């Protein structure tokens, strides 16, 4: 009975020191080499083998890169180069698949309405160059009229602009929220019947709902028009349509482009202040600034970015400020941010004889868009829009001769 413990003691394995990093690496390389040998990718015999010997050949259907790997298998650099090229090909394929998936999702959103609730979603999207959505409110009829009297064409000119230049312009507005439609909704219906220049959204209007309105605007626009660019502009900003379309046309061949006047304003944590950010803590310590994003008066995104917003709108987070929200949706993507200062020329108070956009026009550098930074738009735009248009407007010839 005493011999049993002795036997068990002999069967116990001896302690072994742990493998070093170099040993693990050597073991991996050796395993890889053995795997190549066993799989037939590397021949044990030289290429000039004796008669009667069977040479190792690659399987039919393999490409030249695999054949090259057979010839260079003894060279670690050759193997690494092939692996690198393979990884590059896989990444390119991933991008292509992602693009196709997005396009498929957009088509599904269009065929299913894209959440817009509009009749236009049942139709094939119309081809356009630029879709310009002018953000407006129920109380802003005078502002809309001031634009129709200056840079927004009306009637047959508006239709001709769409047909000949591919420039679509619509005032963007939602619902009042009143049961059955209130007086404000009926007033917009009457204005639309007269001018036919509105895009109605399935959205309840409200200042704190601008981020939601922006998401729905892009979804509705993508479902209605197949455009190269989608622009959002406020109804108190002066725009030169020809210059805007010409500048955007330069980026048509580039994927995922976000164009505007990039800024990085302070994150306002104090309650009661205008532009207060309730989620200020997400942006670091108090006193920090936002990431770079386009100022909200006017900006443009390319087709694929508008499609991305349309497809993913249910899960896109909304911050207090609409321009910050848009910047947040795009900052984590492979997006080209274009800081175009032509889209934010200054128009100082009327007491100043010459304004920034007028000086630039005289120098031959017509601005794409102009507004007063102090007012976040043209100050007293109803009264001054015609003045700004006369001083800084590009003229009809520039519009109809612009590249689109």
């Amino acid at each position: 009975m005493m011999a049993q413990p002795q036997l068990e003691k002999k069967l116990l394995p001896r302690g072994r020191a742990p493998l070093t990093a170099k040993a693990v690496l050597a073991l991996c390389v050796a395993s890889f080499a053995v795997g190549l040998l066993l799989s037939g990718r590397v021949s044990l015999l030289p290429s000039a083998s004796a008669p009667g010997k069977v040479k190792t050949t690659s399987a039919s259907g393999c490409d030249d890169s695999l054949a090259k790997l057979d010839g260079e298998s003894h060279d670690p650099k050759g193997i690494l180069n092939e692996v690198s090229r393979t990884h590059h090909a896989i990444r390119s394929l991933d991008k292509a698949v992602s693009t196709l998936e997005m396009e498929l999702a957009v088509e599904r959103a269009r065929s299913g309405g894209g959440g817009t609730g509009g009749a236009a979603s049942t139709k094939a999207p119309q081809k356009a160059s630029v879709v310009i959505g002018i953000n407006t409110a129920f109380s802003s009829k005078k502002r809309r009229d001031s634009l129709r009297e200056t840079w927004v064409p009306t009637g047959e000119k508006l239709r001709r602009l769409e047909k000949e230049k591919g420039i679509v312009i619509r005032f963007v507005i939602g619902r009042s929220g009143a049961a059955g439609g209130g007086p404000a909704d009926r007033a917009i219906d009457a204005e639309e019947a007269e001018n036919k220049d509105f895009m109605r959204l399935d959205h309840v209007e409200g200042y704190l709902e601008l981020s939601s309105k922006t998401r729905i605007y892009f979804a509705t626009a993508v479902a209605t028009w197949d455009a190269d660019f989608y622009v959002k502009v406020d109804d108190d900003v002066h725009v030169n349509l020809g210059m805007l379309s010409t500048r955007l046309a330069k980026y048509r061949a580039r994927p995922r482009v976000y164009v505007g006047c990039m800024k990085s304003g302070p994150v306002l944590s104090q309650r009661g202040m205008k532009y207060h950010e309730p989620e200020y803590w997400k942006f670091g310590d108090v006193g920090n600034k936002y990431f770079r994003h386009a100022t909200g008066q006017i900006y443009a995104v390319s087709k694929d970015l508008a499609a991305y917003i349309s497809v993913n709108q249910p899960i896109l987070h909304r911050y207090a400020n609409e321009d910050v929200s848009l910047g947040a949706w795009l900052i984590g993507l492979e997006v080209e941010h274009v800081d175009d200062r032509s889209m934010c020329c200054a128009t100082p108070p009327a007491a100043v004889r010459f304004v920034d956009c007028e000086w630039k026009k005289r120098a031959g550098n017509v601005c794409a868009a102009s507004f007063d930074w102090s007012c976040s738009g043209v100050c007293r735009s109803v009264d001054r829009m015609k003045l700004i248009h006369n001083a800084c407007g590009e003229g009809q010839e520039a519009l109809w001769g612009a590249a689109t």
Side-chain angles (χ1 to χ4, degrees), residues 250-295:
K250 297 191 305 180
Y251 309 108
R252 185 181 293 125
R254 304 184 192 179
R256 299 178 301 280
V257 180
Y258 172 34
V259 187
C261 290
M262 301 296 164
K263 68 173 185 178
S264 179
V267 181
L268 302 179
S269 60
Q270 186 175 350
R271 292 181 180 274
M273 295 184 67
K274 190 177 182 181
Y275 308 125
H276 165 64
E277 177 58 73
E279 297 182 86
Y280 62 90
W281 60 274
K282 289 185 177 180
F283 298 93
D285 298 331
V286 174
N288 278 5
K289 291 185 176 182
Y290 288 113
F291 42 79
R292 287 282 174 183
H293 61 280
T295 187

Side-chain angles (χ1 to χ4, degrees), residues 89-399:
I90 292 174
R91 286 196 297 268
S92 299
L93 182 60
D94 284 342
K95 289 182 180 180
V97 171
S98 297
T99 300
L100 291 174
E101 287 177 343
M102 181 174 292
E103 291 177 355
L104 178 60
V106 171
E107 292 304 320
R108 286 175 176 171
R110 283 170 173 164
S111 62
T116 64
S121 61
T122 61
K123 303 178 182 178
Q126 306 169 41
K127 185 62 181 177
S129 175
V130 181
V131 173
I132 301 174
I134 305 174
N135 189 39
T136 192
F138 289 107
S139 59
S140 300
K141 185 179 187 305
K142 290 184 177 180
R143 283 188 177 185
R144 293 190 291 273
D145 287 340
S146 71
L147 298 191
R148 293 184 181 115
E149 293 170 359
T150 53
W151 63 268
V152 175
T154 58
E156 184 56 33
K157 289 184 178 180
L158 183 64
R159 310 295 167 244
R160 181 188 167 201
L161 188 65
E162 294 180 18
K163 183 178 180 180
E164 297 184 13
K165 304 299 292 184
I167 301 175
V168 177
I169 305 174
R170 294 291 187 272
F171 289 101
V172 181
I173 196 166
R175 298 178 283 104
S176 67
D185 296 287
R186 290 191 290 272
I188 293 295
D189 291 338
E191 192 176 343
E192 160 64 7
E194 178 183 357
N195 298 283
K196 294 181 173 55
D197 56 3
F198 278 91
M199 180 192 297
R200 301 300 297 274
L201 305 180
D202 184 11
H203 165 77
V204 177
E205 289 288 324
Y207 180 77
L208 297 179
E209 299 298 324
L210 288 178
S211 293
S212 293
K213 184 176 181 179
T214 300
R215 294 189 310 183
I216 298 173
Y217 157 62
F218 283 116
T220 306
V222 166
T224 309
W225 292 280
D226 179 14
D228 297 318
F229 283 93
Y230 298 83
V231 178
K232 176 265 173 181
V233 59
D234 290 340
D235 62 5
D236 56 352
V237 172
H238 181 267
V239 176
N240 281 317
L241 295 172
M243 179 55 65
L244 177 63
S245 61
T246 298
R247 297 190 76 85
L248 292 180
K250 297 191 305 180
Y251 309 108
R252 185 181 293 125
R254 304 184 192 179
R256 299 178 301 280
V257 180
Y258 172 34
V259 187
C261 290
M262 301 296 164
K263 68 173 185 178
S264 179
V267 181
L268 302 179
S269 60
Q270 186 175 350
R271 292 181 180 274
M273 295 184 67
K274 190 177 182 181
Y275 308 125
H276 165 64
E277 177 58 73
E279 297 182 86
Y280 62 90
W281 60 274
K282 289 185 177 180
F283 298 93
D285 298 331
V286 174
N288 278 5
K289 291 185 176 182
Y290 288 113
F291 42 79
R292 287 282 174 183
H293 61 280
T295 187
Q297 287 86 348
I298 180 173
Y299 51 75
V301 298
S302 55
K303 178 196 301 186
D304 40 8
L305 294 183
Y308 171 83
I309 295 171
S310 174
V311 172
N312 296 284
Q313 60 166 327
I315 59 172
L316 294 178
H317 187 70
R318 296 161 295 166
Y319 290 101
N321 300 297
E322 163 253 340
D323 53 352
V324 172
S325 294
L326 181 77
W329 302 338
L330 303 182
I331 197 169
L333 308 179
E334 286 291 341
V335 173
E336 179 181 358
H337 288 58
V338 178
D339 185 16
D340 190 340
R341 309 314 290 185
S342 174
M343 294 175 67
C344 54
C345 293
T347 57
V352 179
R353 175 63 185 88
F354 295 109
V355 295
D356 181 43
C357 56
E358 184 176 7
W359 279 116
K360 290 181 178 178
K361 177 184 175 181
R362 292 185 173 212
N365 300 318
V366 176
C367 294
S370 306
F371 56 87
D372 306 330
W373 284 102
S374 60
C375 299
S376 297
V378 174
C379 297
R380 295 184 293 108
S381 64
V382 172
D383 301 323
R384 297 184 60 233
M385 189 60 70
K386 187 172 291 186
L387 172 66
I388 299 299
H389 185 67
N390 291 335
C392 306
E394 63 190 351
Q396 290 296 312
E397 298 79 8
L399 170 59

